[in-house]
Amino acid sequence: MYVCSCFGVTEAQVKKHADAGACTPRQIASACKAGTDCGGCVRRIQALLGRGECARRELLDQRQEPAAVAAIGDVRLPEVA
């Protein structure tokens, strides 16, 4: 089935590029132009890519979140004479 009728890109082609490492619609667009003309297929591409199926995305999820910045207490400015 066609995903992008502007460039004749099929679901199988999108899945092939995803298997090769394309994790985002932008990366799919770089690989085969799908989503770069009218943009009507971008949501379908997003659906095909799914969530968490990309090895690179899994690596990003494994990274630890930065430690929360401690809140600064009441700071008093010196009085002006």
Side-chain angles (χ1 to χ4, degrees):
M1 171 179 219
Y2 283 102
V3 173
C4 176
S5 57
C6 294
F7 293 104
V9 179
T10 64
E11 283 185 13
Q13 289 172 302
V14 171
K15 289 177 182 178
K16 182 182 111 188
H17 291 301
D19 289 344
C23 297
T24 65
R26 183 171 287 178
Q27 291 171 340
I28 295 292
S30 293
C32 63
K33 292 187 178 181
T36 61
D37 194 25
C38 76
C41 60
V42 174
R43 286 185 185 245
R44 180 69 183 134
I45 293 168
Q46 288 172 326
L48 288 171
L49 293 175
R51 195 120 169 81
E53 296 175 14
C54 178
R56 289 167 56 189
R57 182 174 285 139
E58 289 172 11
L59 290 174
L60 289 175
D61 290 343
Q62 290 175 0
R63 284 186 10 201
Q64 293 181 1
E65 294 294 321
V69 177
I72 298 174
D74 242 349
V75 176
R76 297 185 186 263
L77 298 175
E79 291 183 28
V80 177

